[in-house]
Amino acid sequence: MDVTTDANAPWLIVGLGNPGPEYAMNRHNVGFMVADLLAERIGGRFKRAGKAQAQVVEGRLGPPGTGSRRVVLAKPMSFMNVSGGPVNALRDFYKVPVANIVAVHDELDIDYGVLRLKLGGGDNGHNGLKSMTKVTGPDYHRVRFGIGRPPGRMQVADFVLKDFSSAERKELDYFVDRAADAAEALVLEGLERAQSTYNS
């Protein structure tokens, strides 16, 4: 189901992750990776966002003059578990309807590299989503990037805070590129069309 909002309202695409070089290649930081690629595509560089504890890039997605959309790309700098505060501050500052917020995040219950797009729902134990939902309610869009379950008896917390394996890294760029395409399609074409293309 698509949610109709003000056509002129901006979209806020939030890549979830943890700040700092030691986390950069963690599975938990795939949202940051997708946000970085989207910033590259629109020719922007992340900068500190005023009082919000986040880095942002403002720009437009889509070809000029063909229904391009104003977007704010964001990476909360508050650590994953308290992402909601920066998201709420950005939502208020840019006057973004909740239905125009897209969270890009890692998802344990989906195989590595598989994407699922959806609107609303629970947090499935994901602390970044839990924190966002606390301040915005659940009715925002999600681009869920599958990372699979931890092997053997490895704890979930250890698994998500480990870097992608060397085997996974061989395909990581391709999957991040596809997730960025999916986020663009969601904003430009609506949820149902994006789902039909990217929900594998």
Side-chain angles (χ1 to χ4, degrees):
M1 179 184 77
D2 284 27
V3 171
T4 308
T5 59
D6 175 2
N8 297 314
W11 284 75
L12 175 61
I13 301 178
V14 181
L16 291 177
N18 287 307
E22 67 272 35
Y23 299 105
M25 289 305 294
N26 286 181
R27 293 181 178 92
H28 225 17
N29 268 45
V30 75
F32 275 20
M33 296 173 200
V34 174
D36 285 338
L37 180 55
L38 286 168
E40 214 175 282
R41 289 182 181 183
I42 64 175
R45 297 184 66 136
F46 278 99
K47 62 181 193 300
R48 199 76 188 185
K51 292 180 181 175
Q53 210 178 346
Q55 291 185 351
V56 298
V57 173
E58 297 176 55
R60 298 193 79 86
L61 279 180
T66 58
S68 67
R69 294 277 191 276
R70 196 171 136 230
V71 294
V72 179
L73 306 173
K75 297 193 295 186
M77 293 286 116
S78 58
F79 286 95
M80 182 71 86
N81 296 6
V82 285
S83 301
V87 171
N88 202 35
L90 294 171
R91 178 189 68 162
D92 288 349
F93 182 78
Y94 289 103
K95 300 184 170 38
V96 180
V98 172
N100 278 24
I101 297 174
V102 181
V104 184
H105 63 92
D106 57 302
E107 179 63 62
L108 286 159
D109 285 339
I110 304 174
D111 289 341
Y112 174 59
V114 173
L115 297 177
R116 292 277 188 277
L117 280 64
K118 71 174 195 169
L119 173 65
D123 56 59
N124 206 20
H126 192 289
N127 289 327
L129 296 181
K130 196 176 292 182
S131 180
M132 278 183 62
T133 297
K134 199 177 285 184
V135 295
T136 66
D139 298 325
Y140 52 90
H141 289 87
R142 297 107 191 273
V143 174
R144 305 158 73 207
F145 185 111
I147 60 169
R149 302 293 305 183
R153 297 186 177 188
M154 186 187 288
Q155 294 295 310
V156 164
D158 294 333
F159 179 68
V160 299
L161 292 175
K162 275 200 177 355
D163 288 358
F164 285 101
S165 69
S166 55
E168 288 170 332
R169 279 202 295 274
K170 288 176 184 165
E171 294 183 292
L172 183 60
D173 287 349
Y174 169 76
F175 289 139
V176 167
D177 193 67
R178 198 162 180 272
D181 289 347
E184 281 198 41
L186 173 56
V187 169
L188 296 172
E189 301 170 20
L191 178 62
E192 286 180 14
R193 286 189 66 177
Q195 282 176 324
S196 70
T197 305
Y198 293 99
N199 277 20
S200 36

